[in-house]
Amino acid sequence: MHPIRSMLFIPANRSSWIDRSPTFGADAIILDLEDSVPARDKELARNNAGAMVSSLADAGQRVYIRINRLKCMYDFDDILAVTVPGVEGIMLPKVSGIEDILLADALIGEAEFRQGLKHGSVVLAPVLETARGVVKAYEIASHPRVASIVAASAKNGDVARSLGFQWTQEGSETFYMRSSSVSAARAAGKLAIGGLWQDVHDTVGLEKWVKGNRQLGFHGELALHPSNVAVINDVYTPSDDELAYYSRMIAAFEDAEKEGRGALMFEGDHIDLAHVETARSIISLYQEIETK
């Protein structure tokens, strides 16, 4: 799947915000039918999301929908309304195990059939918001319809309540949860999405938090406000200095290979093919971002 650095939440009951969303710069937007929408506006949000996906997709905006979870299943009315041409994926809240993915897969498959869409065309982005979901992350990520898993260690949110942690900006209390989720996603060949920075006006704190997540191996980050998107995109885009360093590394290694050497000292470090493959992957990531 094409890289996702930033995923911006937009309450789907706010049609004027949805209209402006392609100008916000997010790699993907999440039209939210769940927590950010009051109960009285659920139907309005659902109708807005279903009706506006096509125009957003035509504008080049990648669109996800976060649906509601009911007592016994995911909201099938939500799924029917938003499984439409142009939608890239559905974000599943409060996923606790593979049984939730299997249920959502069946419901979305039925909706795809009714809409005349190819089976499996709508991907899933499950959110690990329960202790069991964190433990079962690899099993969840391994399902064919899952394209990414979201490990959002939000302050005072569902996962904080389930795991019992007390949030700090340093993040030591969520280190295992975040790192293990990255490992699960990458082992399954899926994107790992982090978050969620809630003090949207503190962009200095946001940058520090996002840099920490990138260092852990996340591919991208959730965002709550358009002003946060540029910071997130910048952190998750290889810098000019990184690109120059890795380009020099590749060139030095290729010169060494011509001399029959498979390892060399490069700018103070011993490197071999493994390091060069990492360098090539980072440059490839940049090229994918630039061609989005």
Side-chain angles (χ1 to χ4, degrees):
M1 171 170 281
H2 199 73
I4 297 178
R5 298 166 298 172
S6 54
M7 300 184 80
L8 175 65
F9 278 109
I10 299 176
N13 59 326
R14 302 295 188 100
S15 56
S16 62
W17 295 8
I18 300 174
D19 280 334
R20 299 200 307 274
S21 62
T23 69
F24 296 151
D27 288 347
I29 61 168
I30 307 160
L31 301 184
D32 191 21
L33 308 183
E34 199 211 18
D35 285 351
S36 68
V37 177
R40 68 176 183 275
D41 283 352
K42 293 289 187 182
E43 186 173 356
L44 170 65
R46 180 191 297 144
N47 292 338
N48 282 348
M52 301 178 81
V53 165
S54 178
S55 61
L56 292 170
D58 288 345
Q61 181 63 68
R62 299 168 69 181
V63 183
Y64 284 70
I65 315 288
R66 182 168 70 167
I67 62 173
N68 289 282
R69 178 161 189 150
L70 306 179
K71 183 177 180 180
C72 298
M73 59 182 273
Y74 289 103
D75 193 323
F76 193 44
D77 290 332
D78 284 355
I79 290 171
L80 285 175
V82 303
T83 303
V84 294
V87 70
E88 180 169 310
I90 288 178
M91 180 169 283
L92 293 178
K94 302 175 182 66
V95 173
S96 290
I98 190 64
E99 63 277 6
D100 292 331
I101 303 300
L102 294 174
L103 172 62
D105 176 51
L107 295 173
I108 295 168
E110 176 63 24
E112 287 169 334
F113 173 75
R114 296 189 189 188
Q115 291 283 2
L117 299 177
K118 181 181 177 182
H119 181 77
S121 60
V122 178
V123 303
L124 290 177
V127 187
L128 307 180
E129 295 179 282
T130 68
R132 189 173 186 273
V134 173
V135 171
K136 298 290 186 179
Y138 176 70
E139 187 177 11
I140 291 167
S142 297
H143 191 278
R145 196 185 283 272
V146 171
S148 60
I149 59 172
V150 181
S153 50
K155 181 179 181 180
N156 298 326
D158 290 312
V159 71
R161 183 176 64 256
S162 183
L163 290 177
F165 65 74
Q166 296 179 327
W167 187 90
T168 66
Q169 184 171 338
E170 292 70 31
S172 59
E173 71 287 345
T174 60
F175 180 85
Y176 171 78
M177 175 249 182
R178 289 181 288 142
S179 184
S180 64
S181 299
V182 168
S183 297
R186 287 183 174 268
K190 310 300 173 66
L191 298 179
I193 305 298
L196 181 64
W197 188 255
Q198 294 175 204
D199 187 355
V200 297
H201 300 299
D202 179 9
T203 54
V204 174
L206 168 69
E207 183 177 16
K208 181 178 179 181
W209 174 262
V210 175
K211 283 181 176 179
N213 273 347
R214 186 188 172 195
Q215 288 170 348
L216 281 178
F218 281 98
H219 296 91
E221 200 90 5
L222 300 176
L224 289 172
H225 193 273
S227 65
N228 290 182
V229 169
V231 174
I232 293 170
N233 284 348
D234 183 61
V235 170
Y236 280 103
T237 302
S239 68
D240 291 343
D241 287 345
E242 286 180 279
L243 294 171
Y245 172 79
Y246 289 120
S247 294
R248 294 195 305 273
M249 179 188 291
I250 293 168
F253 180 80
E254 290 175 347
D255 287 343
E257 275 192 314
K258 293 174 184 176
E259 299 171 359
R261 293 183 291 141
L264 69 151
M265 292 299 297
F266 171 74
E267 298 187 12
D269 290 328
H270 177 279
I271 68 164
D272 56 25
L273 181 60
H275 305 87
V276 173
E277 290 299 329
T278 299
R280 288 170 175 157
S281 71
I282 291 171
I283 290 175
S284 176
L285 170 64
Y286 176 78
Q287 292 169 341
E288 285 189 80
I289 290 170
E290 287 298 295
T291 57
K292 77 181 183 77

